[in-house]
Amino acid sequence: MARVPSTSETCLIEAALRARENAHAPFSRFRVGAALEDEQGRIFSGCNIENATYGLTVCAERVALFKAISEGAAAITRVVVVADTHILTPPCGACRQILWEFCPGATLILANLHGRRETISLNDIFPRPFDSSFL
Ligand code: THU
C-alpha cells in the first residue's frame, strides 16, 4: 500500500498523552503513555498496565506494540513515550529488546507533560542487540 503523509509529531505525542490517561498504575503511580505510527499513517497507542503480582506488569510501549501487531500494522516508523518526568523517560530494557525485534529502524520520541521532547534512535540506547540473526 502507498505511503501516506505522516501525522505531526505533536499529534503523535497527544495520542500518547491520551493513552497515558488510561494507565493502570495503582502500585507505582508512574503513568506512561506510548503511541506508534506505522508507514501507512495508522496510530496505535498504549498505557502501562500493572498487576498485583508486580512482575506481570506490561509497559506502555509493549501494550502499544502488541496492539499494533495484533491489528495488522505495517512497519512501525515512530514510537513516542510520554511520562511525567523532567529527565525524559526512556523505554526499559525489556521494551528496548521487543522494539528492536519489531521495529529496529523506528525513530523514538521521548516527551514529558511540559512540552519537553527529544528524538533519538533505538540504536542510540540499545547497542549490540541480540536478535534472530544469532539463532
Ligand atoms: N513503565 C512503562 O510503561 N514504560 C517505561 O518506559 C518505563 C516504565 C512502567 C512500568 C510500571 O508500570 C511503571 O512504569 C514503573 O516502572
Side-chain angles (χ1 to χ4, degrees):
M1 202 180 287
R3 210 173 238 278
V4 298
S6 65
T7 311
S8 77
E9 189 172 290
T10 299
C11 285
L12 210 51
I13 292 172
E14 279 167 1
L17 288 168
R18 278 195 301 276
R20 182 179 171 275
E21 293 296 310
N22 297 322
H24 179 73
F27 307 108
S28 72
R29 310 234 171 250
F30 190 78
R31 301 160 74 81
V32 186
L36 322 181
E37 182 186 41
D38 77 3
E39 65 181 2
Q40 292 170 5
R42 292 175 73 192
I43 295 175
F44 305 88
S45 63
C47 58
N48 54 328
I49 303 174
E50 298 186 345
N51 182 270
T53 64
Y54 291 21
L56 292 180
T57 291
V58 188
C59 293
E61 297 90 322
R62 273 175 287 156
V63 170
L65 184 64
F66 293 158
K67 278 174 67 182
I69 292 164
S70 68
E71 290 168 26
I76 303 294
T77 52
R78 290 191 290 179
V79 176
V80 171
V81 184
V82 296
D84 187 14
T85 56
H86 177 66
I87 296 176
L88 299 173
T89 299
C92 76
C95 288
R96 292 177 199 201
Q97 177 70 34
I98 301 287
L99 289 169
W100 174 261
E101 290 192 42
F102 284 99
C103 47
T107 298
L108 208 51
I109 300 158
L110 311 180
N112 69 11
L113 306 194
H114 306 287
R116 190 164 182 202
R117 56 174 85 167
E118 184 186 350
T119 300
I120 55 179
S121 78
L122 197 50
N123 256 123
D124 293 335
I125 59 165
F126 197 51
R128 205 167 169 177
F130 173 81
D131 61 22
S132 61
S133 66
F134 291 94
L135 299 176

